[in-house]
Amino acid sequence: MTYIHEYLRAQTSPKTGPEIMRHLEQNLYMREPSVTKYQNIIDALRSQSVVKFVPDPSLSEQKWDSGTYVYLGKLGGIKDKIGLLAHLQAKTTMDPLQYKELKEGWPQCDGALAELERDHKIIMIREKKGPKHIFIDDATLHHKVETDFLRMWQRVNIPSSEDIVKKLVAAGQKPASDDPSIAKQAEGGIKKKKRANKRAAMTTNIHMQHLLKDFSGNRK
């Protein structure tokens, strides 16, 4: 089934049973083809949860070569921008959409993702290896900042962390970045815990002390 899944994944339109069988034969994935083999493969394919079988509405009973097949993947068959946005809008949690899961069912998704991101309809989270997560975005919340304001912001001098600490201390404020251990050392060093004196063990059962005496010297 792996070869069929890969073939259907790469398609942008549904494929028929004969087209799938022809692909297997041309790439030498099937030896000694026969109608019986076709039927067995199609029966197994129609039971796959990641593949959608669309029956031929003109037939009351489907045959091995009737109907078409579409690869759904884990996300249920997202194949275009409309389907992707509908899926993201229907989510009831803020869990991200996994890029690899979308790519698995829609290998040609990169161009559409670039357009949606450019239009501020989705947010892409990337790592060194490439895209990882996809979130829904709202284009109405995107506002372009004028160049003059950008230049003004870039001219603002941000003090260093050391200067900020000094200014907070001068104002009588306690910096959140203060290290408690350093503060204790400044106050006179970290106090060492005193060891508790061990109390002498109290002798009990005085009336039985004579049993513990050494009588070895009385031996004959």
Side-chain angles (χ1 to χ4, degrees), residues 65-112:
D65 57 351
S66 64
T68 57
Y69 301 85
V70 178
Y71 188 78
L72 299 178
K74 295 180 180 179
L75 299 178
I78 299 176
K79 296 290 185 180
D80 53 35
K81 293 186 288 185
I82 296 175
L84 173 59
L85 291 176
H87 178 83
L88 292 173
Q89 291 167 354
K91 290 176 69 66
T92 57
T93 65
M94 289 303 295
D95 293 337
L97 175 65
Q98 299 291 332
Y99 169 79
K100 64 179 181 180
E101 292 183 357
L102 178 66
K103 184 79 172 178
E104 191 260 343
W106 183 18
Q108 309 86 2
C109 66
D110 292 314

Side-chain angles (χ1 to χ4, degrees), residues 15-18 42 46 53-59 61-69:
K15 294 299 174 182
T16 64
I42 290 300
R46 290 178 182 176
F53 170 60
V54 182
D56 186 344
S58 64
L59 298 177
E61 184 177 351
Q62 301 298 316
K63 301 178 181 179
W64 78 265
D65 57 351
S66 64
T68 57
Y69 301 85

Side-chain angles (χ1 to χ4, degrees), residues 160-204:
S160 65
S161 57
E162 294 179 356
D163 291 338
I164 293 175
V165 171
K166 290 178 181 178
K167 290 181 179 181
L168 288 172
V169 172
Q173 301 291 328
K174 182 179 180 181
S177 59
D178 268 0
D179 188 344
S181 62
I182 296 176
K184 287 183 179 180
Q185 290 177 1
E187 292 175 1
I190 301 175
K191 296 181 180 180
K192 294 183 179 180
K193 292 183 178 180
K194 294 182 178 180
R195 291 186 178 180
N197 294 327
K198 293 184 178 180
R199 297 175 60 185
M202 184 180 294
T203 304
T204 58

Side-chain angles (χ1 to χ4, degrees), residues 200-207 209 212:
M202 184 180 294
T203 304
T204 58
N205 298 331
I206 298 175
H207 63 286
Q209 285 184 350
L212 302 177

